[in-house]
Amino acid sequence: MLPTVAFPVHGTLMVEPTESEPLNELDRFIEAMILIRNEIREIEKGRKEVEQTAIKKAPHTLEMIMSEEWNYPYTKNEAAFPANKHQVAKYWPPVTRIDDAYGDRNLVCTCPPTESYANE
């Protein structure tokens, strides 16, 4: 699913699926949102610490799941397949979380200085 994603208000997320999204992908998205809400509920009830949740540590790469080392308080299955039924059509992210939104809020230009273009 490739919906339009925006952050219109700090700390919020707006998702706008397009008419080209297949119903099964919309259903998967809704299921994911329900699972996320359930994990939030566990935090609210004091059953989980926010910093140790699968959502906070997501995404989990295939390399992480296949590794012998696993230092998280939830299972590999909970991390990789939280809905349990999407094991066939799983998308594996190439990298895990790097710095949350820090990079989005603190842009660094890696381009050559504009003066270098004048010399060309």
Side-chain angles (χ1 to χ4, degrees):
M1 180 161 112
L2 297 172
T4 301
V5 177
F7 301 89
V9 177
H10 179 71
T12 67
L13 169 68
M14 179 181 77
V15 179
E16 185 178 5
T18 66
E19 62 279 353
S20 63
E21 300 298 335
L23 181 58
N24 67 322
E25 283 301 311
L26 293 173
D27 288 343
R28 282 172 43 131
F29 176 74
I30 291 167
E31 182 178 28
M33 294 296 101
I34 291 168
L35 289 170
I36 290 169
R37 179 60 185 114
N38 289 341
E39 188 151 2
I40 292 168
R41 193 170 287 114
E42 294 294 303
I43 294 165
E44 291 171 339
K45 292 180 178 181
R47 295 183 188 144
K48 291 185 178 182
E49 293 292 323
V50 68
E51 294 300 319
Q52 295 302 316
T53 61
I55 292 172
K56 183 67 176 175
K57 301 294 184 184
H60 300 84
T61 64
L62 180 59
E63 182 179 356
M64 293 169 69
I65 299 299
M66 297 301 295
S67 173
E68 295 289 324
E69 186 176 330
W70 186 254
N71 298 318
Y72 301 102
Y74 44 87
T75 68
K76 289 181 178 184
N77 197 55
E78 289 171 313
F81 307 108
N84 271 327
K85 61 184 177 186
H86 300 297
Q87 294 183 8
V88 174
K90 169 73 177 176
Y91 169 78
W92 292 102
V95 296
T96 189
R97 187 175 300 204
I98 297 171
D99 62 8
D100 289 324
Y102 180 86
D104 295 333
R105 295 188 184 118
N106 300 279
L107 298 177
V108 176
C109 181
T110 58
C111 306
T114 54
E115 295 82 23
S116 68
Y117 294 104
N119 297 332
E120 290 182 13

